[in-house]
């Protein structure tokens, strides 16, 4: 297993050399393109991650969750899963941390653990993706994309609840 990555790299280099490509120059040009891409997406990435951290650190996340939790409980969503639903559209790593906490506290076979796992798999880091991809493509008007993306996240959460509640999985 440990030889797969070096074998693939060696194969690519041999193939490029056999086609008389300037492997090193192409590598350097690709690395330069990667650095320019990083420079383009870094500011919006920092903004989204800062907003996510501020949301959690300020207590606003808990305030929002305490307001929404009674409605969520009626919809069949355990209160333990609400932080995941709120942070998933903003931060993938934050969502994985919350998922890990849910699995440690309640177990993978609990309703909260199964629901959190399905939600992580069926939703996207919406605002992160919009910030990064739209910044790279220089899209200025996201007013139609954001509601559609949030609706898709809500559909993922609703689908997870329905499947787990109706089919008893």
């Amino acid at each position: 297993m440990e030889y797969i990555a070096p074998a693939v790299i060696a194969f690519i280099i041999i193939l490029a050399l056999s086609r008389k490509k300037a492997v090193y120059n192409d590598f350097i040009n690709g690395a330069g393109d990667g650095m320019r891409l990083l420079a383009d997406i870094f500011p919006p990435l920092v903004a989204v991650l800062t907003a996510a951290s501020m949301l959690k650190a300020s207590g606003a996340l808990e305030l929002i969750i305490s307001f929404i939790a009674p409605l969520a409980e009626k919809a069949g969503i355990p209160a333990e899963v609400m932080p995941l639903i709120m942070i998933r559209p903003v931060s993938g790593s934050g969502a994985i941390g919350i998922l890990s906490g849910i699995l440690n506290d309640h177990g993978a076979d609990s309703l909260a653990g199964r629901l959190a796992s399905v939600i992580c798999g069926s939703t996207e880091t919406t605002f992160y993706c919009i910030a990064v991809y739209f910044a790279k493509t220089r899209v200025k008007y996201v007013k139609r994309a954001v509601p559609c993306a949030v609706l898709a996240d809500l559909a993922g959460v609703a689908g997870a609840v329905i499947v787990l509640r109706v089919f008893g999985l």
Side-chain angles (χ1 to χ4, degrees):
M1 264 307 173
E2 62 204 45
Y3 300 110
I4 291 176
V8 169
I9 292 169
F11 174 75
I12 291 169
I13 291 171
I14 291 168
L15 182 65
L17 288 173
S18 71
R19 294 182 178 178
K20 299 191 183 346
K21 297 282 184 179
V23 178
Y24 183 74
N25 287 338
D26 289 347
F27 176 78
I28 295 300
N29 290 337
D33 290 345
M35 292 304 289
R36 283 188 288 281
L37 173 67
L38 180 63
D40 286 345
I41 66 172
F42 191 71
L45 179 63
V46 169
V48 168
L49 294 177
T50 302
S53 296
M54 289 174 58
L55 187 65
K56 288 169 59 176
S58 69
L61 182 63
E62 288 80 19
L63 182 65
I64 294 168
I65 289 169
S66 67
F67 180 71
I68 298 174
L71 297 172
E73 289 281 347
K74 290 181 182 178
I77 302 171
E80 302 86 23
V81 180
M82 288 305 298
L84 175 71
I85 294 170
M86 298 301 294
I87 207 70
R88 177 70 176 154
V90 180
S91 171
S93 58
I96 296 299
I98 293 171
L99 172 64
S100 177
I102 291 170
L103 295 177
N104 285 335
D105 294 345
H106 301 284
D109 291 331
S110 67
L111 175 63
R114 290 190 317 267
L115 186 59
S117 298
V118 173
I119 288 170
C120 267
S122 61
T123 58
E124 182 57 75
T125 53
T126 303
F127 296 107
Y128 171 85
C129 289
I130 286 173
V132 170
Y133 297 134
F134 283 10
K136 176 59 184 155
T137 58
R138 309 256 192 263
V139 173
K140 300 262 189 270
Y141 304 104
V142 295
K143 67 179 181 182
R144 290 188 180 98
V146 171
C148 291
V150 170
L151 187 61
D153 282 337
L154 291 174
V157 170
V161 171
I162 290 168
V163 167
L164 291 177
R165 290 291 187 166
V166 171
F167 296 109
L169 300 175

